[in-house]
């Protein structure tokens, strides 16, 4: 059997996308444009609305970022200098702290742990949160042991008596001796120190529709069963909570809270005290759910998330991998709600489309320095990627953060144009939603009333890919459906988006809608047999 080179990378994926014309080779890119290799060997310009799944807020091969990359390479910048001072990474952390302080109105320091991708940044946050949880549990157990010792001494000296409530709480008869009760209580406490004890297993919470990566740990925080269920036995499972349902979130917290019995000595009485053991590891939230269909979290739900996480002492991890670095019209999309986290994860656009870098910011109140001794990454915080990230931050923050205003204005103009298409074809497009330059176009479910092709592709989750293929070949526009909502097209262009590019997208969507309304399958799929690239 002879294999071609293309058969050794993503073979099945390429076979699948070739059916809808997405098996295209791109030869170069700049701004919002990519050039595809035509069948005649020439180049065909394509407007890119995918932008590296949100990695290109400043566009493909931004000239200033490219210049910085060349400068760093030309002066032999050390990429590998592990276990040394990393001034470039420290400068990135300082710059991000200034932005956090401005956008969230706080002066609390945020420690930076660097990584290589968004999924790794999420795993850093969860690993750190679990270390913090275990340390908080250990501190609580030490305190309870001290209280039991104090109670033993008071009872032995005759300065305190055991309250009947202690025996009742422990399920002991009223005739049980105080020493027996305290022994039983101590045994319970020590059982909590067993890492295999199911009562103190970490509780991870995420939202229905959420996406936080596809690594071994992060995949368990991603809601889509297609991605998650083949690997459920590999790591801790997440409890998924519906979006905009604070009642459901409270119910999960109440159901999972785990009491730990303690005692107090006061006014000559040893009484029982019930404390909540720290079982909640983290609650993960995207300010706008990207793969879930570009679904913004409402300010009202954000307020409830903030309140409930504080009430139950559950750290909030705000996943800004896709929404961060200015795409929303602010650096942190969470600041627009507002929704303040204990952890923030950043990646994608932070690397300017050239460097693979990510960072997890951890607020001082949660930070555990011990984490630095048990987590590391070969390429994290290297001078090259940090130097690129510094240039990205410089460009975003220039002129008082003018880039954020451009993202908001361009996003509003894009939504306006798409809403005009939806008004003409409200039977075809059911919704247009998003924040800034993260916009979703949701097509109505026509699996029961559409053409044979629509009835076949929508239930199979292939409809969005078919529309993407049509727009690519017929209108030279590159879009893609979201991973967990295949009827929704994702639009994540850079701030260089022009009115002409917006108009071109609107024109292409109008034709798609007209074809779907006419149920013209021949027109919808004609490009498959007449490809020019």
């Amino acid at each position: 059997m002879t294999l071609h080179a293309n058969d050794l990378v993503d073979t099945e994926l390429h076979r699948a996308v070739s059916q809808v014309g997405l098996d295209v080779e791109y030869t170069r890119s700049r701004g919002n444009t990519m050039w595809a290799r035509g069948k005649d060997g020439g180049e065909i310009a394509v407007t890119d609305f995918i932008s590296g799944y949100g990695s290109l807020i400043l566009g493909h091969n931004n000239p200033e970022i490219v210049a910085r990359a060349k400068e760093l390479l030309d002066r032999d910048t050390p990429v590998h200098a592990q276990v040394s001072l990393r001034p470039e990474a420290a400068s990135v952390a300082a710059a991000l702290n200034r932005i956090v302080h401005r956008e969230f109105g706080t002066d609390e320091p945020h420690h930076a742990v660097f990584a290589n991708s968004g999924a790794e940044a999420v795993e850093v946050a969860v690993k750190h949160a679990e270390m913090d949880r275990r340390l908080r549990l250990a501190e609580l157990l030490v305190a309870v042991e001290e209280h039991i010792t104090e109670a033993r001494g008071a009872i032995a000296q005759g300065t305190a008596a055991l309250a009947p409530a202690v025996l009742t709480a422990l399920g002991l008869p009223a005739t049980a001796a105080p020493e027996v009760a305290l022994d039983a209580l101590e045994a319970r406490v020590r059982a909590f120190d067993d890492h295999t004890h199911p009562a103190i297993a970490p509780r991870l919470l995420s939202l229905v529709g959420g996406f936080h990566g596809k690594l071994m740990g992060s995949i368990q925080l991603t809601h889509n069963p297609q991605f998650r269920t083949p690997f459920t036995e590999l790591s801790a499972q997440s409890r998924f909570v519906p979006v905009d349902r604070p009642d459901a979130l409270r119910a999960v917290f109440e159901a999972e809270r785990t009491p730990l019995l303690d005692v107090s000595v006061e006014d000559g009485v040893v009484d029982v005290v019930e404390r909540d053991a720290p079982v909640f590891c983290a609650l993960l939230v995207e300010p706008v759910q990207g793969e879930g269909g570009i679904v913004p979290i409402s300010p009202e739900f954000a307020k409830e998330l903030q309140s409930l996480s504080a009430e139950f002492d559950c750290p909030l991890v705000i996943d800004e991998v896709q929404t961060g670095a200015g795409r929303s019209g602010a650096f942190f999309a969470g600041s627009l709600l507002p929704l303040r986290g204990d952890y923030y994860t950043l990646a994608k656009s932070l690397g300017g489309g050239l460097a693979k870098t990510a960072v997890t910011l951890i607020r001082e109140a949660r930070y555990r320095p011990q984490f630095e001794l048990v987590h590391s990454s070969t390429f994290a915080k290297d001078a090259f990627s940090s130097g690129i990230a510094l240039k990205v931050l410089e460009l975003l923050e220039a002129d008082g953060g003018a880039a954020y205003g451009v993202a908001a204005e361009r996003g509003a103009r894009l939504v306006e144009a798409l809403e005009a298409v939806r008004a003409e074809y409200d039977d075809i497009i059911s919704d247009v939603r998003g924040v800034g330059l993260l916009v979703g176009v949701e097509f109505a479910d026509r699996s029961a009333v559409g053409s044979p092709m629509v009835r076949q592709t929508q239930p199979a989750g292939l409809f969005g890919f078919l529309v993407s293929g049509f727009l690519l070949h017929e209108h030279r526009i590159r879009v893609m459906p979201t991973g967990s909502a295949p009827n929704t097209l994702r639009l994540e262009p850079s701030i260089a988006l022009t009115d002409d590019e917006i108009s071109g997208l609107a024109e292409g969507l109008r034709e798609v809608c007209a074809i779907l309304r006419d149920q013209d399958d021949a027109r919808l799929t004609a490009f498959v047999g007449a490809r020019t690239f």
Side-chain angles (χ1 to χ4, degrees), residues 2 71 79 97 162 192 212 215 326 343 444 470 500 516 530:
T2 302
E71 173 197 338
V79 174
N97 265 268
L162 191 73
F192 268 70
H212 302 287
L215 298 182
Y343 301 81
F470 178 88
D500 285 345
L516 294 174

Side-chain angles (χ1 to χ4, degrees), residues 49-389:
F49 278 88
I50 301 174
S51 294
Y53 298 135
S55 299
L56 300 165
I57 189 63
L58 297 173
H60 288 274
N61 289 307
N62 178 282
E64 294 190 64
I65 298 175
V66 169
R68 174 60 59 86
K70 290 179 177 178
E71 173 197 338
L72 291 167
L73 294 173
D74 285 345
R75 57 183 169 92
D76 297 330
T77 297
V79 174
H80 294 283
Q82 295 86 352
V83 195
S84 68
L85 292 177
R86 299 294 186 96
E88 295 87 356
S91 295
V92 172
L96 290 172
N97 265 268
R98 288 192 292 271
I99 296 172
V100 169
H101 296 165
R102 181 188 72 230
E103 293 199 348
F104 291 96
T106 178
D107 59 1
E108 182 176 4
H110 285 65
H111 296 263
V113 179
F114 287 80
N116 307 297
S117 69
E120 187 184 344
V122 167
E123 298 215 359
V124 165
V126 174
K127 280 180 62 179
H128 184 281
E130 175 59 7
M131 170 177 275
D132 173 57
R133 187 189 73 84
R134 291 293 316 190
L135 289 172
R136 284 186 286 124
L137 176 62
E139 291 160 3
L140 175 59
L141 296 179
V142 167
V144 174
E145 290 270 16
E146 290 174 351
H147 298 160
I148 293 173
T149 299
E150 181 186 358
R152 289 185 192 279
I155 290 173
Q157 294 170 13
T159 59
L162 191 73
V166 177
L167 300 174
T168 302
L170 292 169
L172 296 174
T175 56
E179 193 63 30
V180 170
L182 293 177
D183 286 346
L185 178 59
E186 192 166 47
R188 282 196 181 196
V189 171
R190 289 179 176 172
F192 268 70
D193 203 24
D194 180 355
H195 287 221
T196 65
H197 196 299
I200 52 90
R203 274 63 158 181
L204 291 163
L205 285 76
S206 187
L207 299 183
V208 171
F211 180 91
H212 302 287
K214 293 181 179 177
L215 298 182
M216 190 172 77
S218 58
I219 193 61
Q220 303 307 330
L221 304 163
T222 291
H223 179 248
N224 189 332
Q226 179 184 352
F227 301 148
R228 176 171 44 85
T229 53
F231 312 105
T232 52
E233 296 179 4
L234 290 177
S235 55
Q237 306 300 298
S238 181
R239 280 75 164 169
F240 293 99
V241 182
V243 176
D244 288 333
R245 284 281 310 280
D247 59 322
L249 179 58
R250 174 173 285 280
V252 170
F253 275 131
E254 293 288 2
E256 296 291 344
R257 73 189 311 170
T258 301
L260 174 66
L261 294 184
D262 190 5
V263 289
S264 66
V265 181
E266 191 172 345
D267 297 329
V269 177
V270 175
D271 208 348
V272 68
V273 178
E274 188 175 282
R275 305 188 188 280
D276 278 345
V279 296
F280 297 108
C281 177
L283 166 60
L284 284 90
V285 180
E286 299 164 277
V288 181
Q289 293 187 324
E291 297 292 342
I294 318 298
V295 179
I297 298 299
S298 70
E300 295 77 18
F301 189 49
K303 184 177 180 180
E304 293 290 345
L305 288 169
Q306 197 87 74
S307 175
L308 288 169
S309 66
E311 179 182 344
F312 290 91
D313 195 20
C314 179
L316 262 178
V317 177
I318 310 301
D319 186 338
E320 293 266 9
V321 169
Q322 194 162 184
T323 56
R327 182 159 295 280
S328 67
F331 188 89
F332 291 97
S335 69
L336 300 174
L337 290 168
L339 180 62
R340 186 182 177 196
D342 298 285
Y343 301 81
Y344 302 96
T345 60
L346 295 162
K348 291 189 182 290
S349 281
L350 186 64
L354 295 182
K356 297 176 178 66
T357 189
V359 66
T360 301
L361 297 175
I362 308 168
R363 63 185 299 192
E364 173 77 14
R366 292 282 185 187
Y367 187 63
R368 298 286 186 166
Q370 302 96 312
F371 187 75
E372 301 166 17
L373 304 178
V374 296
H375 180 86
S376 62
S377 176
T378 299
F379 283 90
K381 62 180 179 283
D382 68 278
F384 177 78
S385 63
S386 296
I388 297 296

Side-chain angles (χ1 to χ4, degrees), residues 18-63:
S18 68
Q19 303 302 309
V20 289
L22 297 178
D23 54 333
V24 173
E25 178 188 352
Y26 293 99
T27 57
R28 61 190 178 97
S29 58
R30 173 64 68 92
N32 282 327
T33 302
M34 302 182 75
W35 284 266
R37 187 183 303 281
K39 289 200 168 186
D40 61 359
E43 289 186 325
I44 298 172
V46 173
T47 302
D48 183 20
F49 278 88
I50 301 174
S51 294
Y53 298 135
S55 299
L56 300 165
I57 189 63
L58 297 173
H60 288 274
N61 289 307
N62 178 282

Side-chain angles (χ1 to χ4, degrees), residues 482-498:
T482 60
S484 300
N487 281 350
T488 300
L489 298 182
R490 62 195 304 159
L491 307 173
E492 303 180 72
S494 80
I495 57 174
L497 182 68
T498 67

